[in-house]
Amino acid sequence: MAAQKDVKSETIPMTMIQALRSAMDIMLERDSNVVIFGEDVGFFGGVFRCTDGLQAKYGPSRVFDAPISEGGIVGAAVGMAAYGLRPVVEIQFADYFYPASDQIVSEAARLRYRSAGEFTASMTIRMPCGGGIYGGQTHSQSPEALFTHVCGLRTVMPSNPYDAKGLLIASIENDDPVIFLEPKRLYNGPFDGHHDQPVVPWSKHPLGEVPEGYYTVPLESAAIYRPGAELTVLTYGTMVFVSAAAARETGIDAEIIDLRSLWPLDLETIVASVKKTGRCVVVHEATRTSGFGAELAALVQEHCFYHLEAPIERVTGWDTPYPHAQEWAYFPGPDRVGAAFKRALEAR
Amino acid sequence: MSQCKPLTLHVPEPSGRPGHETDFSYLHLAEAGAVRRPPLEVLPSDTSDLAYALVRVLDDDGNAVGPWAADIDRELLRRGMRAMMKTRIFDARMVIAQRQKKMSFYMQSLGEEAIGTAHALALQEGDMCFPTYRQQSLLMARDVPLVDLICQLLSNQRDPMKGRQLPVLYSVRAAGFFSISGNLATQFIQAVGWGMASAIKGDTKIASAWIGDGSTAESDFHTALTFAHVYQAPVILNVVNNQWAISTFQTLAGGESTTFAARGIGCGIASLRVDGNDFLAVYAASRWAAERARSNLGPTLIEWITYRAGPHSTSDDPSKYRPADDWSHFPLGDPIARLKQHLIRIGAWSEQEHQDTEKELEAQVIAAQKEAERYGTLASGQIPSPATMFEDVYKDMPEHLRQQRRQLGV
Ligand SMILES: Cc1ncc(C[n+]2csc(CCOP(=O)(O)OP(=O)(O)O)c2C)c(N)n1
């Protein structure tokens, strides 16, 4: 567990996009082995503008466009990492990482192990993920469970500009391969699931205040987004804000834990909270069955069994592909999350 | 009314099956010396003829002929000869050790020894090869200690891979030999990335990528060609066409009426098709490709024509799918016999020296095996501690792995 703001330096308002760009800018500057590539990330600066201006500043041999080949992007990055570079590659949407699965699972994740440390894959794979943007089936997925299941990978997901920058710098510096999932619904402002209300920009949110310079948010450290006494919410990404809205609207004093690092994770913070509250609700956008929530529920059950006063609830996406028209029936909004809070509290 | 007959699905078949001789005319062989040697700066599209031809240097009498017959130092040829012989002798011993159950598995490279050997000698210190499981000749040419290799095969207490990998899946960074993966083709694009990294850093090292004919059907083959071409990566893309992928003939990987070298042309990569059993041709073509890469002239694809003389692995029985005496009919012969003939012809080798070398290498391998077995074998149970099983998953061991190690009680 780490305080959200552990660095005192000049802060400026940033969106998550600007914060991510700032992290990459700083790492390109600090470490000549950092290279950035992916589809449309060079001259154009990325379809979400996350790498805007970086090619102009660092040149096309540090920041460049890649062919539309996810397997090629990750495979080439593994080779570069084996050479000694520190590639930061972008998969345009998390929904499109599948062609790179073999390189991620069989290669990047296992290289250190299988070569007994002779070769390593210090690399970061950035992927915009999550729904809530009418992205339909292939622009909305949350595939984190497909990564947390792979030994050798680190999976990270920020929920705000401050963490996004600090976690991305920490990920780039980390010597293990990191899957860095970016909830694109949070790129421009926090989103609590109330899609019928105007979007609040990050400039109006305290976590949109980001130090200009170098800092890190350590991996494997969760953040308590909202302290509370009645139940513990284990969540990450967009669902942090949805859970906070649910707490506000139900009046339930929920302790909301933003995991930040999904795996390996900060078990201590989770266990301490559940032991305190005796109740636990897991919330994620991804589909339910064998989703990451199942692992979280199992961990809580193993470590907090005698403190639990109610069954662990899971609020997740349905076990269907992500639909287009039915987006808000699919997306676990504050009502569904709030209902789970109530069930967890009422259970005996 | 349609005049069309019902469609039929074409499923390629090899001409030779058990009991039927293979018709090797599909190889479209050229005479030694017949194929031109273009300048290093050649445009990829101007190598199209070479992608369908066959670069050969040694003629049937063992003379080195034609434009690819470089003036090669005799000592280097003798070194190559020894490395090829060492590879073959090593393979034969390890197959026996596998049958004796000292190791669980082995893969020979019988008949393909020239390719890795001559190629390794054409590269420089610091260049990185991204091999498959059948390029042990690279290790032999680079004089990697046999004891280390055998310890890996035995998964014993001195196994540099700490017992984590199947036998043969070596990793020898110091010898420019990248960690072998069980997943086919993945290393092909990684090699390109490594070459790109060398270019990004303004280095002078080049990468050498390896793949079999069967594995060219994997998508990583295509990504490698695309990336190598797009970024003009300093890489040699080696396709070892030994005609077989386990039981499937190379036509099932897409070799019918075309060549694997031709894939390179389509992707804008200078490409050669070379006699893989001709040590001199392998050396000359490798040198050409290496110089191109090192001069920033971009990638080269080389299809090496050879024959997988042995079983696919110790788990395979080729007599079930191909003629038992196929290798004896393969028109490009045996790489060791052919270099031997050449060396004797130029007075750099003799029957006697050949026999003496064979004996000496045999003794060397036996001694190495003895030493390696002192550190245990899979059968003897002297394996790396299970505690090491949890190491190197991550750089630093996370808490959940510490806990699992405690649960195992080690
Ligand atoms: C992705 C993947 N698919 C299947 C296999 C199983 N397999 C191992 S070797 C092999 C044949 C490869 O043939 P080729 O590329 O021609 O190389 P060769 O064995 O002839 O050297 C197969 C199918 C594998 N290791 N990896």
Side-chain angles (χ1 to χ4, degrees), chain A residues 102, chain B residues 107 112 132-134 182-184 211-216 218 240 242 244-246 308 312:
Chain A
D102 193 27
Chain B
M107 300 178 101
E112 303 176 33
T132 78
Y133 46 71
R134 225 182 287 284
N183 293 61
L184 294 172
I211 200 167
D213 48 282
S215 305
T216 61
E218 291 283 1
V240 180
N242 64 14
W244 293 93
I246 310 185
R308 196 198 77 212
H312 169 71

Side-chain angles (χ1 to χ4, degrees), chain B residues 221-235:
Chain B
F221 174 71
H222 304 271
T223 63
L225 266 57
T226 302
F227 278 61
H229 165 68
V230 167
Y231 301 107
Q232 291 296 294
V235 59

Side-chain angles (χ1 to χ4, degrees), chain A residues 26-27 55-56 58-59 72 92 143 150 169 174 203 211 228 240-241 261 278 280 294 326 332:
Chain A
I26 284 169
M27 290 314 293
Q55 184 179 72
Y58 296 97
Q92 207 158 67
V150 178
I169 291 176
N174 193 279
S203 56
V240 169
F241 300 99
S261 285
C280 180
Q326 302 87 344

Side-chain angles (χ1 to χ4, degrees), chain A residues 65 83 107 114 118 153 175, chain B residues 171 179 181 203 231 394-395:
Chain A
D65 289 318
Y83 177 95
E107 301 295 319
R114 74 167 197 239
E118 272 204 334
L153 295 180
D175 290 329
Chain B
S171 175
S179 156
S181 170
D203 203 341
Y231 301 107
Y394 297 89
K395 185 178 180 206

Side-chain angles (χ1 to χ4, degrees), chain B residues 303-322:
Chain B
E303 176 182 357
W304 306 105
I305 305 299
T306 184
Y307 187 84
R308 196 198 77 212
H312 169 71
S313 71
T314 50
S315 314
D316 177 49
D317 175 7
S319 72
K320 296 273 194 310
Y321 53 79
R322 70 182 190 189

